[in-house]
Amino acid sequence: MFRLEARPQASKTWIVLTPILAVVATMFAGGLLFAALGKDPVASIQLIFWDPLFGEFAAMDRVDILKKAGPLILIALGLSIGFRAGIWNIGAEGQYIMGAICGAAVGLAFYPMEATFIFPLMVIAGALGGWAWAMIPAFLKNRFGTNEILVSLMLVYVAEHFLSQMSLGLLKNPEGRGFPGSRNLQQYASASNPELFPGTGMHWGVIAALVAVIAAYILMNRHLTGFQVRVTGESPRAAAFAGIIPRRIVVFCLGTSGALAGLAGLFEVSGPAGQISIDFNQGYGFTAIIVAFLGRLNPFGILLAGLLMGLTYIGGNLAEQAAGLPAAAIQAFQGMLLFFLLAFDLLSNYRIRRVRRRVVPQVTEPTASQETA
Amino acid sequence: MDFSALSPVALIASLMVASTPILLAAIGELVVEKSGVLNLGVEGMMITGAIFGFAISVETGSPWLGLVAAMVGGAGMALIFGILTQVFLSNQVATGLALTLFGLGFSALVGQSYTGIKPPPFPRLDIPALTEIPYIGKILLNHDYMVYISLGLVLAVWYFLRFTRKGLILRSIGENHTAAHALGYKVIRVRLLAIMFGGACAGLGGAYLSLIRVPQWTEGMTAGAGWIALALVVFASWKPGRLIIGAYLFGGVTILQLNLQAVGVNIPVAYLSMAPYVITILVLVIISSDRKKISLNAPASLGRVFHASN
Amino acid sequence: MKIFKRMAAGAVLALGLAGASGAEPLKVGFIYVGPVGDLGWSYQHDLGRQAIEAHFGDQVETSYVESVPEGSDAERVLTQMARSGTKLIFTTSFGYMDPTLNVAAKFPDVKFEHATGYKRADNVSTYSGRFYEGRTVLGHIAGHMTKTNTIGYIASYPIPEVVRGINSAYLAAKAVNPDVKFKIVWAFTWFDPGKEADAANALIEQGADVIMQHTDSPAAMTIAEGKGIYAFGQASDMMQFGPNARLSSIIDNWDPYYISRVQAVLDGTWVSTDTWDGIGAGMTGIGEFNKNIPDAVKASAAKLKDDLASGAVHSFTGPINKQDGSPWLAAGEIADDGTLLGMDFYVEGIEGELPK
């Protein structure tokens, strides 16, 4: 018999080791999957994990990983703050869409005027758009006690319909021959978010993500608000005694995550994506939830988790093209990677002890249980 | 506007069909959540059920065997979630999302050779004299069997949770797993069983789509139904009876919207497509503004990790 | 494997066979917006890819990436393809337009073919199908086959491509059956089998006994088969989903175009062009007529198809008024491509409002 013993503190060694173990395990399981599909497992795994980092075109691929990870990290950081407080915003996808729409709308309103104030204005509009969309579940939670998981999730669908409506209507490119989709902001200098140093992938969104990592770290570890957020999540009763007003925490957490998701949307629409279109959103808001947990809700962990997710996307596309793997296999592979990462996480929080089988006592002692949300 | 062309009887009949997959998935998830576990992977389990059900029906020619396979497939996926969250103590929200990702990919892989095939037809209830009864016959007595099975399942879950000892144990574990454990109940075993039941129901819901409502297999065919099932559970404030109302309301708005268009009523379609989601939010607000009730129904341990350290 | 290939190539050289002449195979790449198993848009493009492989054998090597979102991901995948030696790339969705041009500018010696777009460059061609010609034939059959004089139409998004299809089908149906009515349901999705099935049911409930669709899944076809009414295949043939219901189908047939473009690259004659082909060039295929269609209708539909192919008949030949009664085309006048490409109005006789 084995049993688990909670560690008083997460093991530093295992925190580093578990992701590596998980990746190795995924390589084996994924290799079996690829072999079952009749593909060369070693070559496929190499295409996914090795080539983007160290292959022939790694310089290009690393840039793409950064670009792909940027919005994931930005959104995940915002979400992690709420998750620490036990506030479950799972509608970041909707806030991401609304940020993109609001930001792009402001930019397009000035078309074709060229002025330096346009882009900053778009950034503000993007953040506000995401913030406002997140304020709906915040308001309803505070006013009526409505569950924010559900409201924020439902609002994703509303935002998606609104997005297709905007692509077909108000924001449609008047010179686009009737096709849905807005003008391409990449071709409108004042509203575009290009790479600041060509070839590095560093656009404003990536920079914002990196700045946000540090800001989130300071906020959560060095600032009173961060402390209040953590106390609220760990012990609502203690929070009440400490005079923390839960409603403010709700507004703060949802507002921050909404604004960051909105920013991510704005940077994406004005940069890599270029335009508002019916299929503009690609599930970053949902993937970011996984990124937040993989990073253990820690800003630097989220940075690494975002980069790892980015790697599997870039490498996945490479494997599809070069090895002919179906997209579905890559999706299943990503799922497996997440399973292993989540499963091995156990080792950093618990110790496995070997124990002799005992006679089960008639009356079990009251036990303490480890509760984390 | 000419509404007279709309036949309420036909509307109700078709909304029942449209709502059945989400009702099935939701009743499973309700049991899971009542046991204190939040599984966001409903979409992944539904789509797995859809392809398992489809593949086995096609291979064996028996839609019933297909349904069994769908339940096994859904429960199998749920078991992955169960082992990860209950044994490896992983976070439920993240694991559920990963399950959806995996399920969508896995089902598409399994289904590669099943696109473009027709499944065997599914038997429907047809009692010669009764089905002919005006109105009631068409609304109540002229569906495929699964519609009745789904309603029966809701009834059974309601009875189980409310009147049986095992149901009480399940609820108490959802309320306070520490106390339940102290009383000697097997928290993890009960939760694993609940999770697998939820997976089986989601699998059935998926198979309903691929075998009856559409019927065909295409990648990603659940198109978000699993998420709606999740919303329904909270919408119903964890009460099986309300689940039926919620599912039929949700299906009803979509069906009504499509029918109004077919009749030729000029409606702002794009905005009406948002209506089911907005209405769900409104109903959520109305239900939850009655705070006492919702706090009575929501399982207190929902989403929390249980680890007995004896 | 590599050694074997080299040996084979050597043998070809030694025997002095023409064609391959030991050269590296031409790498041809495809990116699809959906999965190849969607049995619709992306599936048909992939059939085109397979046709290239079958036709050219060892002379080509194809690869594809499916389910690529439009935008930055497309740009990245295109770059990955171009840099790994792919010399001809087909980008098969409208939303790939700007990414295609961006990548094309960086790789001037790679040739790009962008489906349904309108921006070209020296190394970027565009191509699309005149699918409305196919809908004229389908509308003709539908007008004859409906007993209730009600044809249901499941539309996706109100964009010119879809509106054009509705108009051409309606005009053709109206020409053979003056009492015909179109009931149009906008699904606001390209792909949602459940919703498409519900829409088909709603239309049948309102008396439609022939269903046309401009959404991607075969859901409506299976519903039509179950209810014993008629429908048409969309994008792919869909015969297997409704052996009795499927009257005919409109098929996106990219094979001839793809083969000719690969040939042009092999011959060194590839130049940037704009292609909008219909039934004549075989890009718009009409599926086999069902046995349920009376012979007279089969004959008239076949004749209509031939006339459209030869150019003797145009789907939009005046006099045609717009929905509000204002004149669009005078008697005998033929619609110009510009208006067709931007079509944002119903023709006279269609009921309901075009969603904006």
Side-chain angles (χ1 to χ4, degrees), chain A residues 57 60-61 64 68 165 168 175-180 184 186-187 272 278 282 314 317-318 320-321 326-327, chain C residues 63-66 69-70 72-73 76-77 80-81 83-84 94 98 102 116 118 157 159-160 188 341 356:
Chain A
F57 300 101
M60 253 185 232
D61 289 331
D64 286 327
K68 191 86 186 172
Q165 195 51 23
L168 292 161
E175 288 151 25
R177 308 218 181 158
F179 281 100
N184 196 320
Q186 287 168 350
Q187 290 150 17
I278 293 175
Q282 299 158 22
I314 311 299
N317 280 151
L318 274 178
E320 278 182 58
Q321 194 241 324
Chain C
S63 67
Y64 70 88
V65 182
E66 58 185 329
E70 299 166 345
S72 57
D73 291 276
R76 188 184 67 244
V77 171
Q80 287 175 351
M81 275 186 179
R83 76 189 188 197
S84 62
F94 173 75
D98 289 325
N102 290 349
T116 69
Y118 56 85
Y157 290 103
I159 60 172
F188 277 85
L341 285 168
K356 283 278 184 292

Side-chain angles (χ1 to χ4, degrees), chain C residues 215-254:
Chain C
T215 46
D216 279 349
S217 90
M221 177 65 73
T222 45
I223 297 293
E225 180 77 13
K227 295 266 167 118
I229 62 148
Y230 298 126
F232 295 96
Q234 153 77 12
S236 65
D237 193 56
M238 298 190 185
M239 181 60 147
Q240 65 271 44
F241 293 105
N244 299 305
R246 181 201 146 287
L247 292 173
S248 178
S249 55
I250 178 167
I251 301 170
D252 310 350
N253 180 14
W254 307 104

Side-chain angles (χ1 to χ4, degrees), chain A:
Chain A
M1 269 302 273
F2 296 96
R3 73 189 170 98
L4 293 173
E5 193 175 273
R7 294 178 194 270
Q9 262 191 325
S11 154
K12 290 238 168 74
T13 326
W14 282 108
I15 280 183
V16 180
L17 273 180
T18 50
I20 299 170
L21 270 181
V23 169
V24 171
T26 313
M27 285 180 180
F28 275 108
L32 286 177
L33 172 75
F34 298 150
L37 293 169
K39 308 287 176 190
D40 179 353
V42 178
S44 307
I45 298 286
Q46 187 192 340
L47 280 166
I48 297 175
F49 282 119
W50 185 263
D51 283 10
L53 292 175
F54 310 106
E56 189 187 348
F57 300 101
M60 253 185 232
D61 289 331
R62 287 188 212 137
V63 166
D64 286 327
I65 293 172
L66 208 56
K67 276 204 246 178
K68 191 86 186 172
L72 289 176
I73 295 169
L74 201 54
I75 302 171
L77 283 171
L79 293 177
S80 70
I81 298 173
F83 294 167
R84 286 267 192 108
I87 292 160
W88 300 98
N89 175 9
I90 61 170
E93 184 82 357
Q95 295 139 22
Y96 172 85
I97 293 172
M98 295 312 275
I101 291 176
C102 292
V106 166
L108 291 167
F110 286 104
Y111 184 87
M113 190 175 106
E114 297 284 356
T116 45
F117 70 86
I118 294 176
F119 189 69
L121 213 57
M122 287 166 67
V123 173
I124 295 169
L128 277 179
W131 178 83
W133 207 241
M135 275 305 109
I136 300 173
F139 170 77
L140 294 179
K141 184 179 175 73
N142 281 343
R143 180 77 180 74
F144 302 105
T146 314
N147 181 306
E148 77 278 12
I149 298 184
L150 272 295
V151 176
S152 60
L153 179 62
M154 289 291 105
L155 285 173
V156 173
Y157 295 101
V158 178
E160 278 180 349
H161 283 284
F162 189 67
L163 174 70
S164 69
Q165 195 51 23
M166 287 292 112
S167 315
L168 292 161
L170 202 58
L171 296 181
K172 187 165 77 175
N173 181 357
E175 288 151 25
R177 308 218 181 158
F179 281 100
S182 73
R183 281 180 199 281
N184 196 320
L185 293 170
Q186 287 168 350
Q187 290 150 17
Y188 173 26
S190 292
S192 76
N193 167 30
E195 287 187 5
L196 297 173
F197 313 100
T200 60
M202 296 295 272
H203 62 71
W204 282 112
V206 177
I207 293 173
L210 297 177
V211 171
V213 169
I214 296 165
Y217 177 78
I218 295 172
L219 175 83
M220 294 309 287
N221 295 290
R222 298 272 184 278
H223 196 276
L224 181 64
T225 313
F227 170 75
Q228 292 182 336
V229 165
R230 280 185 288 135
V231 173
T232 307
E234 278 153 25
S235 167
R237 279 173 61 84
F241 285 124
I244 297 168
I245 301 165
R247 292 181 182 206
R248 285 204 191 144
I249 299 291
V250 168
V251 168
F252 174 78
C253 290
L254 278 165
T256 311
S257 55
L260 287 180
L263 275 180
L266 173 273
F267 289 129
E268 199 65 16
V269 75
S270 56
Q275 61 177 162
I276 290 286
S277 59
I278 293 175
D279 303 313
F280 165 73
N281 61 312
Q282 299 158 22
Y284 283 160
F286 291 112
T287 312
I289 299 175
I290 302 177
V291 169
F293 281 106
L294 287 185
R296 299 190 180 82
L297 307 183
N298 172 309
F300 294 103
I302 286 169
L303 176 69
L304 293 176
L307 290 171
L308 180 64
M309 278 310 283
L311 173 67
T312 63
Y313 280 114
I314 311 299
N317 280 151
L318 274 178
E320 278 182 58
Q321 194 241 324
L325 281 168
I330 300 299
Q331 218 175 5
F333 182 79
Q334 283 179 325
M336 283 201 265
L337 174 64
L338 299 173
F339 286 153
F340 282 119
L341 281 165
L342 291 164
F344 285 146
D345 212 18
L346 172 85
L347 297 171
S348 43
N349 290 319
Y350 296 89
R351 206 175 267 140
I352 298 174
R353 282 276 164 85
R354 211 191 149 88
V355 289
R356 294 249 172 91
R357 192 176 276 275
R358 293 175 301 182
V359 180
V360 181
Q362 208 68 6
V363 182
T364 328
E365 299 259 320
T367 52
S369 74
Q370 171 85 6
E371 290 196 5
T372 44

Side-chain angles (χ1 to χ4, degrees), chain B residues 66-146:
Chain B
L67 290 182
V68 172
M71 290 167 69
V72 171
M77 289 295 279
L79 192 61
I80 298 180
F81 173 88
I83 290 174
L84 281 171
T85 56
Q86 301 308 307
V87 180
F88 287 89
L89 308 177
S90 69
N91 176 278
Q92 293 175 6
V93 172
T95 312
L97 288 169
L99 190 71
T100 292
L101 189 69
F102 180 75
L104 288 170
F106 179 68
S107 63
L109 281 180
V110 175
Q112 271 177 340
S113 49
Y114 289 97
T115 39
I117 297 177
K118 256 179 65 139
F122 202 83
R124 54 175 47 240
L125 185 64
D126 203 0
I127 312 162
L130 293 178
T131 311
E132 300 301 314
I133 302 172
Y135 302 112
I136 298 166
K138 196 166 178 201
I139 295 177
L140 294 181
L141 301 170
N142 188 25
H143 291 292
D144 52 82
Y145 286 107
M146 279 311 291

Side-chain angles (χ1 to χ4, degrees), chain B residues 5-7 10 18 115-118 138 213-216 218-221 223 255 257-259 261-263 266 269-270 273, chain C residues 35 37 39 183-186 188 191-195 197-199 202-203 205-206 217-219 222-223 225 240-241 352-353:
Chain B
L6 278 181
S7 141
T115 39
I117 297 177
K118 256 179 65 139
K138 196 166 178 201
R213 181 165 163 225
V214 176
Q216 71 190 33
T218 12
E219 267 189 65
M221 68 178 303
I255 293 290
Q257 185 261 104
L258 292 169
N259 276 275
Q261 282 199 62
V263 173
N266 280 329
V269 187
S273 303
Chain C
L39 281 186
K183 291 197 181 287
I184 302 160
V185 168
W186 294 91
F188 277 85
F191 178 83
D192 183 342
K195 196 170 187 184
D198 291 342
L203 287 165
E205 193 57 45
Q206 291 310 318
S217 90
T222 45
I223 297 293
E225 180 77 13
Q240 65 271 44
F241 293 105
E353 234 173 85

